[in-house]
């Protein structure tokens, strides 16, 4: 395991522990998850800008479209129906987390394991911009299979997602007009990203510290559900064509398993119940643990040697 892998995992887990055992942090840190997410989205959008999305979708439109369709529709629906059979309490949570856009740390993971980072970035940009449309659409589809809250406002959810995603996208677009500023920010992207991830994780787990102590069984179940969801997302890799280059195949797997669970946590806090919120928070564990799996695949497929 490389030093950056270890730093990312250790910092995330220490932040989880600190938040869990320091409930007094919850109130002052309440606004931080959304703010941190906006900053992480901003850094992700800034790293390549919109031109990478247009270039990649023009060169391999079928690959990018396939990745986004599988990621935003096929895998979330598969997860929902599987959880309806195995863990019905977390079926909606599985749909929400599974339907989240490709995570802002996915390009960082991709660089670490020498996957097709350009594809991951294109998928991240496109899935983020489409999410305000695709998530309400999925909820409308599954509404006939479960009773959603009568107070759920799909239009309100769409507006919340648009603000969270479009603000950093517009900010990154404007910043890229100043190349020196962009270069300076990107030079410090990794330490800034790790710090922000730690802060948001600390805020999330401190907010749920009471639940962690008062209802440990719910937390254990949510953690099990999150780990099962991570495994289900990896199952999607079994259907990738054998002819696909290893770098691209690994990019698909990273895109499957790395999602904006913090965004879904925020959505769950606003529109859904504690089960969905806790599952979204618990997905931080398999999300980071999967980095070890990506590293093993990279080594097995000879991508690390190719990078060297």
């Amino acid at each position: 395991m490389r030093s950056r892998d270890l730093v990312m995992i250790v910092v995330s887990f220490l932040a989880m522990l600190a938040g869990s055992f320091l409930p007094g942090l919850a109130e002052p840190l309440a606004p931080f998850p959304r703010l941190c997410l906006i900053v992480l989205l901003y850094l992700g959008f800034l790293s390549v800008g919109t031109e990478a999305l247009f270039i990649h979708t023009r060169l391999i439109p079928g690959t990018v479209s396939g990745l986004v369709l599988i990621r935003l529709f096929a895998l979330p629906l598969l997860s929902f129906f599987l959880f309806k059979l195995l863990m019905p309490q977390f079926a909606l949570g599985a749909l929400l987390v599974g339907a989240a856009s490709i995570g802002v740390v996915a390009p960082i993971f991709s660089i670490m394991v020498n996957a097709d980072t350009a594809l991951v970035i294109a998928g991240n940009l496109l899935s983020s911009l489409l999410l305000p449309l695709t998530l309400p659409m999925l909820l409308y589809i599954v509404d006939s299979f479960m009773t959603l809250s009568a107070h759920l406002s799909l239009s309100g959810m769409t507006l919340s997602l648009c603000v969270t995603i479009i603000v950093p996208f517009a900010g990154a677009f404007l910043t890229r007009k100043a190349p020196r500023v962009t270069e300076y920010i990107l030079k410090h992207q990794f330490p800034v990203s790790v710090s922000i991830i730690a802060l948001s994780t600390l805020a999330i787990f401190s907010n749920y510290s009471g639940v962690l102590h008062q209802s440990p069984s719910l937390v254990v179940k949510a953690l099990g559900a999150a780990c099962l969801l991570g495994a289900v997302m990896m199952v999607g890799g079994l259907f990738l064509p054998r002819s696909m280059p290893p770098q691209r195949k690994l990019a698909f797997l990273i895109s499957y398993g790395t999602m904006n669970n913090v965004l879904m946590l925020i959505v769950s806090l606003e529109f859904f119940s504690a089960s969905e919120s806790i599952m979204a928070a618990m997905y931080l564990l398999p999300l980071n643990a999967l980095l070890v799996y990506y590293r093993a695949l990279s080594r097995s497929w000879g991508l690390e040697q190719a990078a060297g």
Side-chain angles (χ1 to χ4, degrees), residues 89-101:
Q89 180 183 2
F90 296 101
L92 181 57
L95 178 77
L96 292 172
V97 179
S101 55

Side-chain angles (χ1 to χ4, degrees), residues 102-113:
I102 296 170
V104 291
V105 297
I108 299 173
F109 285 2
S110 180
I111 292 170
M112 287 178 173
V113 299

Side-chain angles (χ1 to χ4, degrees), residues 185-197:
I185 294 174
L186 293 180
K187 184 178 179 180
H188 301 88
Q189 182 177 12
F190 181 79
V192 171
S193 297
V194 171
S195 301
I196 292 172
I197 289 169

Side-chain angles (χ1 to χ4, degrees), residues 128-303:
S128 296
L129 295 174
L130 290 175
L131 187 63
L133 298 176
T134 59
L135 183 59
M137 193 182 304
L138 280 174
L139 290 170
Y140 181 81
I141 292 172
V142 304
D143 188 32
S144 57
F145 296 95
M146 66 185 305
T147 304
L148 297 175
S149 171
H151 301 290
L152 175 63
S153 170
L154 293 181
S155 60
M157 182 188 303
T158 300
L159 179 61
S160 175
L161 289 169
C162 284
V163 170
T164 305
I165 292 168
I166 292 176
V167 167
F169 183 81
F173 178 79
L174 294 174
T175 303
R176 285 182 65 84
K177 295 183 179 298
R180 290 186 178 179
V181 176
T182 301
E183 183 181 355
Y184 178 81
I185 294 174
L186 293 180
K187 184 178 179 180
H188 301 88
Q189 182 177 12
F190 181 79
V192 171
S193 297
V194 171
S195 301
I196 292 172
I197 289 169
L199 183 59
S200 63
T201 303
L202 180 65
I204 290 165
F205 277 79
S206 62
N207 185 62
Y208 281 100
S209 179
V211 179
L212 292 172
H213 292 100
Q214 295 172 15
S215 304
S217 61
L218 176 60
V219 175
V220 171
K221 290 177 183 177
L223 177 58
C227 292
L228 176 59
L229 178 62
V232 172
M233 302 303 278
M234 290 300 96
V235 167
L238 298 176
F239 301 97
L240 296 173
R242 292 186 177 182
S243 59
M244 182 178 287
Q247 273 190 310
R248 187 167 296 174
K249 189 179 296 185
L250 188 54
F252 266 78
L253 287 171
I254 293 171
S255 300
Y256 289 169
T258 310
M259 63 276 286
N260 267 328
N261 63 305
V262 176
L263 177 57
M264 286 303 104
L265 171 63
I266 293 167
V267 169
S268 298
L269 287 170
E270 290 184 10
F271 300 100
F272 299 99
S273 72
S275 294
E276 290 75 45
S277 301
I278 295 173
M279 182 178 176
M282 289 296 113
Y283 194 79
L284 284 167
L285 289 162
L287 185 151
N288 286 284
L290 280 172
L291 179 57
V292 178
Y293 177 61
Y294 305 145
R295 174 69 70 196
L297 288 178
S298 178
R299 189 178 300 112
S300 174
W301 293 341
L303 298 178

Side-chain angles (χ1 to χ4, degrees), residues 56-78:
H56 223 63
T57 50
R58 187 174 69 248
L59 293 177
I60 48 172
T63 302
V64 175
S65 300
L67 171 61
V68 171
L69 286 173
I70 293 169
R71 187 61 188 70
L72 293 183
F73 286 101
L75 286 175
L77 288 173
L78 170 64

